[in-house]
Every structure is written in C-alpha cells, then in structure tokens.
Amino acid sequence: RAGRGHGLAAVSGAGMAAARGCPPAGSGDRALAELLLEFSRAQYRAKDGGGGAAAKVERIERRCLELFGRDYRYSVIPNAHGEICAHYPRHIVLLERDACAGRDPFESTVQVGKLQDLINRSKMARCRGRFVCPVILYKGKHICRSATLAGWGELYGRTGYNYIFSGGSDDAWADAEDISEEDSALRNADSQLFDKVRGHDIKLLRYLSVRYICDLMVENKKVKFGLNVTSSEKVDKAQRYADFTLLSIPYPGCEFFKEYKDRDYTAEGLIFNWKQDYVDAPLSIPVSLTQSLNIDWSEYQSWDLVQQTQNYLKLLISIINSDDDSGLLVHCISGWDRTPLFISLLRLSLWA
C-alpha cells in the first residue's frame, strides 16, 4: 500500500519532466511500466534487501531520482535500511528549487542537515513512524504528507510495553474526583511524553513553514481492542496544535475501496455510509477558506465519491494558491491510502 503512493508520485513526476520540454529517455516508459506493475502487487519496505527484488527497487529509485533531477535541484536524506522510516523510500528527496528557472525566486529555505535532525527527533510522534515529509515544492511552499499522530496505545507500544495495559487513554486520562498518588504520577509521565514527542513534531512543521493541516480521517481517534491507537491534531486535549489551521475533511478509507472495486471501479453514485458507529469526525473548515469556492459544504454527506474528491481537491488547491507563504500537510491514519491519492492528484494538478 505504501509503495502504491510512491509509484503514483513517480509517474506524475515523469509527466512533469515531459511537460517542461525535456524529452524522456528511451528507457523511461519501460521503467515506469515496471514501477506500476511492482507497486500494484507488492508492499514496499525500505529494509528489504538482497536478490533480484533489491536490484529492481534500486533501478526504479534511480530512475525516479533522474526524473526529479530534470525539474528540481534537490538533496537526499538516506533511509537505506528503513532506519528513519520502514515505509518511506530509501532515498528521501528534499526539493530545493526549480531547475529550469535560473535564479528561482521561490527557492526553499530548508536545509537538509537541519531537516534530518528534526526528522530524527520527531519520528516517534506519528503513526507507524511516518513523520511529516515534504514531497511537493510549489512556489516555495512545501506540501507535505504523513500519518496521523500516534496515540497512547501505539506510542507506548513503540517506546516500551510498561504502560500498555495500564488503562490510560490518549493524551489525558478520564476525569475522576479521587486520583491516587500513583495514578497522578503515571498521568504526569503520560503528559510529559506527549509534550516531548509532539513538541518535536510541531518544530518540524514550523521549520517547513506548514500552517494548514488537512486531516482525512473519518474518526477522531483510531481505536483497536479498546485502546486509542492513534489520535489527531483536532482532538489534542492540550491544544498543542492550536497555532495551526486545522481542517477536518473526512474521506472514506481503504475499507470503502472494496465497494469501489465491487462496482467495477465506478465511483459515480457511490456514497459513503456516514452513520456507522466509528465515524465521529465531522467536516470542519474555517469559513475564510471556503468563501470563494461556491460549494455548499453542509451537503458533504450526500456527495458521491466523485463529487467529494473534486470538492476536496478544489479546497486544497485554493489553499495552496493563496497569497501567504505557508505550507500544507495532508494526512489520513497511516498515510498510505487516502494521503497518496490526494498528494498525487495535487502533484498532477499543480503541474498541469
């Protein structure tokens, strides 16, 4: 699933190169066809190595870097064995400026060394370690992708199992009139851990000049086996993300994709069931971002998949094209179904 997102990004990257007057190399079509076939049938893991599979991945990655190089000056953050993130590419690209513009007035101010340090500090903050990663550079603005925030269950699951069954909840424990001294100490430790990891996440967002966070989750928190496994900026009880502009734009996840497949991939007339028990995240967008779009957002639960996708994409493009210099983060839960869908649509749309 993660590999599919990177494949779409690479394919749209090839479109960029062709559109700017750089003729594709003779092997380009074959390499991209190989990539499409590979990501449609295999899940990507950076740590996989050895044998023919590793050689294939290396060949595809080399081609993707070549295509990026036709459009941009860039740096690379190494992730050869998945030491930063097991599901991100082995070469994480930081786009710095447009290669075709001579002296680009929109050159990124991000330095790769500083970015790598912030990534290493913040990678525990989000689900599956999928940290905020800049993937598109548009007029100096970084468009980023990630997973959602790690909740109590996952965070303690990855930092140690000492509290995993202690009955806590994400970010804050249930209110009680009588809290024992031991419970109070655990509650303070819980809060301090979230302060630390989410503080690093916020520093990374600010370094990338991200202001807008677009959350595609249809729930406030992902619950498994009674544990809050993941959370979201929109329900952070300590309001750590209050300085960002948060958009809750719920979009059906991979569970809904089966219905899309069963309808022979026909999205017209396919409407998500918003009355399911786990769906508790309403659409919430600041009015200032919707005034120019002429869309009745109160009707979002009646839209079919086509209209919903179109309207969300219009919203994201409108934000990116606004006058300020702020970047944008798009995420769902794990960041490998809905997130690459919209990131790929943005990449293609901004190029076109």
Side-chain angles (χ1 to χ4, degrees):
R1 288 172 294 183
R4 294 172 189 170
H6 297 306
L8 283 170
V11 171
S12 56
M16 288 179 176
R20 300 212 182 173
C22 306
S27 63
D29 290 344
R30 290 193 301 274
L32 290 176
E34 184 180 26
L35 172 61
L36 285 164
L37 181 62
E38 179 68 17
F39 82 70
S40 68
R41 65 186 183 187
Q43 181 172 341
Y44 174 83
R45 288 187 297 266
K47 64 181 178 181
D48 289 348
K56 181 184 294 184
V57 170
E58 184 177 351
R59 183 167 64 253
I60 291 171
E61 286 185 337
R62 187 166 59 246
R63 178 61 175 154
C64 290
L65 291 174
E66 179 188 335
L67 291 170
F68 271 124
R70 295 187 180 197
D71 291 316
Y72 300 100
R73 296 288 180 260
Y74 66 85
S75 296
V76 171
I77 297 174
N79 183 43
H81 304 290
E83 58 269 31
I84 304 178
C85 180
H87 315 103
Y88 279 179
R90 300 188 305 175
H91 305 285
I92 297 173
V93 175
L94 169 64
L95 303 176
E96 296 173 339
R97 66 178 179 88
D98 192 321
C100 301
R103 183 173 178 81
D104 186 359
F106 300 115
E107 184 171 356
S108 170
T109 59
V110 172
Q111 298 177 357
V112 67
K114 175 70 171 177
L115 179 64
Q116 188 165 0
D117 178 62
L118 289 170
I119 285 172
N120 283 324
R121 293 174 183 271
S122 68
K123 61 185 180 181
M124 297 295 291
R126 292 186 175 265
C127 176
R128 303 181 188 273
R130 293 171 69 86
F131 55 86
V132 175
C133 186
V135 289
I136 301 174
L137 182 65
Y138 181 73
K139 294 185 177 180
K141 305 176 185 182
H142 288 288
I143 301 170
C144 307
R145 62 181 287 180
S146 74
T148 191
L149 296 178
W152 188 94
E154 181 176 0
L155 189 56
Y156 278 121
R158 283 191 281 131
T159 57
Y161 292 96
N162 48 332
Y163 294 117
I164 195 68
F165 295 114
S166 63
S169 62
D170 175 58
D171 239 338
W173 294 31
D175 292 333
E177 294 182 4
D178 299 316
I179 300 177
S180 70
E181 187 174 333
E182 181 180 0
D183 284 347
S184 180
L186 288 173
R187 179 177 179 177
N188 289 335
D190 182 61
S191 179
Q192 289 171 10
L193 179 59
F194 277 102
D195 283 343
K196 180 179 180 180
V197 296
R198 294 189 180 173
H200 288 314
D201 182 66
I202 288 169
K203 287 180 181 178
L204 175 57
L205 286 165
R206 286 176 174 161
Y207 187 62
L208 293 167
S209 299
V210 169
R211 174 183 172 189
Y212 304 97
I213 299 178
C214 301
D215 181 354
L216 294 162
M217 294 170 61
V218 298
E219 57 269 279
N220 289 322
K221 301 177 182 180
K222 185 70 173 179
V223 179
K224 287 188 176 181
F225 308 113
L227 285 175
N228 292 311
V229 181
T230 70
S231 185
S232 169
E233 301 89 353
K234 61 182 180 281
V235 291
D236 181 79
K237 293 181 180 178
Q239 295 291 300
R240 299 176 185 90
Y241 292 85
D243 290 340
F244 298 90
T245 301
L246 306 179
L247 295 86
S248 175
I249 47 175
Y251 190 89
C254 58
E255 299 87 352
F256 189 59
F257 292 0
K258 182 179 184 301
E259 296 187 36
Y260 175 52
K261 179 182 178 182
D262 291 345
R263 288 170 55 99
D264 196 25
Y265 302 100
T266 300
E268 289 83 358
L270 182 57
I271 300 175
F272 181 64
N273 179 11
W274 296 96
K275 298 186 183 301
Q276 298 174 82
D277 290 342
Y278 71 94
V279 178
D280 60 358
L283 184 138
S284 177
I285 309 168
V287 175
S288 59
L289 300 178
T290 63
Q291 290 173 334
S292 62
L293 294 177
N294 195 29
I295 295 171
D296 185 356
W297 294 96
S298 67
E299 297 292 323
Y300 78 97
Q301 293 188 356
S302 66
W303 296 339
D304 67 11
L305 200 57
V306 173
Q307 189 174 9
Q308 187 179 22
T309 306
Q310 290 173 337
N311 288 339
Y312 283 10
L313 185 60
K314 289 176 185 177
L315 173 67
L316 295 177
I317 291 175
S318 174
I319 293 171
I320 293 165
N321 278 321
S322 62
D323 292 334
D324 65 21
D325 298 324
S326 302
L328 169 73
L329 167 65
V330 178
H331 76 75
C332 49
I333 296 178
S334 294
W336 58 20
D337 286 309
R338 291 163 284 187
T339 298
L341 168 65
F342 279 96
I343 288 294
S344 297
L345 289 173
L346 284 174
R347 192 186 297 275
L348 289 163
S349 300
L350 295 172
W351 155 64

